[in-house]
Amino acid sequence: MKKIFLALVGMVLAFSASAAQFSSGNQFVTLDKPVSGEPQVLEFFSFYCPHCYQFEKIYHISDTIKKNLPQGTKVTKYHVEFLGPLGKEMTQAWAVALALGVEDKVAPLMFDAVQKTQVVQTADDIKKVFIQAGVTSEEYDSAWNSFVVKSLVVQQEKAAADMGLQGVPSIFVNGKYMVKNDGLDMSSMDIYSKQYSDVVNFLLTQK
């Protein structure tokens, strides 16, 4: 029993020591104008962004954050339209993915189709990726023209504007803080993704 207690104390002290190293301007930025009503953890990305590809497929930042979040906390991902020749179409397509609940199926396929094989050249090519992910042509077309998807497009655009988004990938917490991608330990992929997750969890506790 004593060993278990000491182990728990050690874990608490280790987290406290780690959290003490996180400060505004270093590992994160405190927004000048906090935005109320935004998701607790909000990630902005683009399928055209090479760093977003690394973020998702190499460093597995989103997956690591999700695994370590307090129960009931959700990561919301919004696509931005200011990158790539089909930026607007991609943002609407991501709204379709959100509406249909197929984000986790579509994202890896779309990243590979855009960044790796570069087979996405038209709006129809975007649809083909969704079909590859298991969405029927009818489901895609119906969602594409729906009020829900149009609302989600506006929601993504508004959130980016309200946050004063400058680039991607970017993760915001509680509408008050943005994690500094270059403020973390990049000595290894595992350390970087773990510290990213630690910073997000730390910021969730800040008022």
Side-chain angles (χ1 to χ4, degrees):
M1 190 70 185
K2 186 177 180 182
K3 288 182 179 179
I4 295 174
F5 175 74
L6 290 174
L8 289 171
V9 169
M11 288 171 64
V12 171
L13 289 174
F15 178 77
S16 298
S18 175
Q21 298 170 9
F22 303 148
S23 59
S24 184
N26 292 310
Q27 290 76 31
F28 64 91
V29 173
T30 303
L31 303 186
D32 292 333
K33 295 180 180 179
V35 182
S36 60
E38 292 298 339
Q40 287 173 288
V41 181
L42 177 57
E43 176 184 341
F44 290 96
F45 79 105
S46 168
F47 287 118
Y48 285 105
C49 163
H51 294 300
C52 297
Y53 180 86
Q54 294 176 339
F55 212 68
E56 182 86 9
K57 304 275 285 185
I58 297 174
Y59 289 97
H60 305 291
I61 299 295
S62 296
D63 287 342
T64 303
I65 289 173
K66 287 178 185 176
K67 288 175 184 175
N68 294 291
L69 282 174
Q71 190 172 5
T73 309
K74 181 186 175 185
V75 177
T76 300
K77 297 179 71 167
Y78 285 163
H79 195 275
V80 298
E81 61 178 39
F82 53 73
L83 291 177
L86 296 171
K88 285 184 176 293
E89 290 85 351
M90 281 291 188
T91 298
Q92 187 160 344
W94 186 247
V96 170
L98 291 171
L100 297 178
V102 293
E103 308 99 298
D104 291 343
K105 293 179 181 179
V106 167
L109 296 175
M110 192 68 77
F111 266 123
D112 282 346
V114 174
Q115 299 272 344
K116 207 170 179 180
T117 58
Q118 299 180 350
V119 295
V120 176
Q121 303 296 328
T122 67
D124 194 50
D125 293 331
I126 295 175
K127 180 179 176 178
K128 288 177 184 175
V129 175
F130 274 76
I131 292 172
Q132 187 183 350
V135 177
T136 68
S137 177
E138 293 75 16
E139 286 174 328
Y140 184 85
D141 290 340
S142 178
W144 182 272
N145 294 306
S146 69
F147 173 77
V148 171
V149 163
K150 290 176 182 176
S151 297
L152 283 167
V153 169
V154 173
Q155 197 169 305
Q156 292 177 94
E157 294 169 347
K158 184 178 184 303
D162 289 347
M163 293 292 189
L165 186 68
Q166 298 294 314
V168 288
S170 292
I171 288 185
F172 294 82
V173 179
N174 287 337
K176 297 179 180 180
Y177 310 101
M178 182 186 74
V179 181
K180 284 192 68 179
N181 295 337
D182 59 353
L184 308 180
D185 186 345
M186 298 187 72
S187 57
S188 79
M189 288 186 290
D190 289 341
I191 289 174
Y192 185 68
S193 60
K194 175 64 168 60
Q195 192 175 57
Y196 213 111
S197 175
D198 287 345
V199 172
V200 169
N201 277 293
F202 168 73
L203 292 174
L204 283 169
T205 66
Q206 304 304 294
K207 302 300 180 184

